[in-house]
Amino acid sequence: MSERRLTLVSTHLCPFVQRVSIVLSEKGIPFERVYVDLADKPDWFVRLSPLGKVPLLRIERPPGAEVVLFESAVISEFLEETEPEPPLHPADPLERALHRGWMEFSSSVFADLWAIQTAADSETLAARTGVFRDRMLRLEDVLTTGPYFAGDRFSLVDAFFAPALRTVSALNAITEADLLPTAPRLAAWSRAVLARPSVISAVPADYLSRLEALLQRQNGYLIASAA
């Protein structure tokens, strides 16, 4: 499959796009990236995306045919199956199932972070931050000695949580919030994941300024209280 031309259809801030970018990079698969504006979706994108969302992975198949995959978990599992090296899933079926459970868990974390960004007042922000911290504390109990989720090997779980950990780091930088709970294994894991080259390259160089601009447009209490 790596001989086929791959195009990742993206937006600049989407965490689910970041997941796929990280997996592609970890697998050493060349790909191109095309950005779309979801507020003004081009016709070709509407035709290709059943849900009207990113990511899409466009896979050219000779002669001139194309397959389009959607949903980050589906795309990532496909890449794992078709490009097995390096493996990002455990070999043991039970461990693999557990990893898939935590991958699903990561999506709830994104919902928590969005709720934090859009909270309208201090009480709502405090409540939503508490929910997020409690959820993240569950990871402290399952993380190993690291540096990654399951030890020395970077996995799909790390790839799926990386955009959330990046968002936390960025929100802390922009607003001086302190979103992560005090938990040593969680803190060490976050540092290791965010230092991974595939994670760093998953977003554009102006990611932080784009996120800050989004926060300003949302005009939630988190950014208002930082002004």
Side-chain angles (χ1 to χ4, degrees):
M1 191 204 67
S2 58
E3 296 178 357
R4 301 171 184 171
R5 181 181 176 187
L6 304 183
T7 302
L8 179 60
V9 182
S10 313
T11 63
H12 293 89
L13 295 176
C14 177
F16 302 100
V17 167
Q18 292 176 47
R19 288 174 167 181
V20 177
S21 173
I22 292 166
V23 174
L24 286 164
S25 297
E26 289 291 335
K27 297 285 186 181
I29 304 171
F31 68 99
E32 298 179 17
R33 193 189 299 259
V34 172
Y35 291 102
V36 296
D37 181 357
L38 294 184
D40 185 18
K41 299 171 184 175
D43 291 341
W44 64 264
F45 175 78
V46 174
R47 289 194 303 270
L48 293 179
S49 178
L51 298 173
K53 301 189 300 184
V54 292
L56 300 179
L57 186 65
R58 303 179 69 170
I59 306 171
E60 286 193 5
R61 301 179 68 186
E66 180 182 71
V67 174
V68 179
L69 300 180
F70 60 99
E71 290 295 303
S72 61
V74 172
I75 297 170
S76 298
E77 293 280 6
F78 168 76
L79 294 171
E80 177 70 2
E81 290 175 2
T82 57
E83 297 284 343
E85 296 298 330
L88 299 179
H89 259 327
D92 179 75
L94 180 58
E95 287 299 314
R96 194 159 60 245
L98 289 170
H99 275 224
R100 285 179 171 136
W102 285 108
M103 289 161 61
E104 181 65 23
F105 182 90
S106 72
S107 294
S108 64
V109 172
F110 294 127
D112 292 339
L113 287 171
W114 183 259
I116 287 170
Q117 290 174 215
T118 56
D121 53 62
S122 60
E123 292 80 8
T124 303
L125 176 62
R128 292 176 177 177
T129 300
V131 170
F132 170 74
R133 287 174 173 164
D134 288 344
R135 203 183 304 274
M136 294 300 288
L137 272 176
R138 288 183 172 270
L139 287 156
E140 181 73 3
D141 296 331
V142 299
L143 288 168
T144 67
T145 55
Y148 302 117
F149 179 81
D152 293 338
R153 179 174 289 177
F154 190 86
S155 70
L156 283 179
V157 177
D158 299 297
F160 271 46
F161 273 97
L165 296 172
R166 185 202 310 280
T167 300
V168 169
S169 177
L171 291 176
N172 289 351
I174 294 168
T175 68
E176 297 184 358
D178 186 15
L179 297 179
L180 276 185
T182 302
R185 288 192 294 274
L186 182 60
W189 178 52
S190 178
R191 288 193 298 270
V193 168
L194 293 179
R196 190 85 175 179
S198 64
V199 174
I200 294 170
S201 65
V203 294
D206 61 351
Y207 170 83
L208 198 64
S209 62
R210 285 181 178 275
L211 179 60
E212 185 169 9
L214 174 64
L215 292 172
Q216 295 289 354
R217 292 194 298 273
Q218 291 169 332
N219 197 31
Y221 186 81
L222 181 66
I223 189 68
S225 62

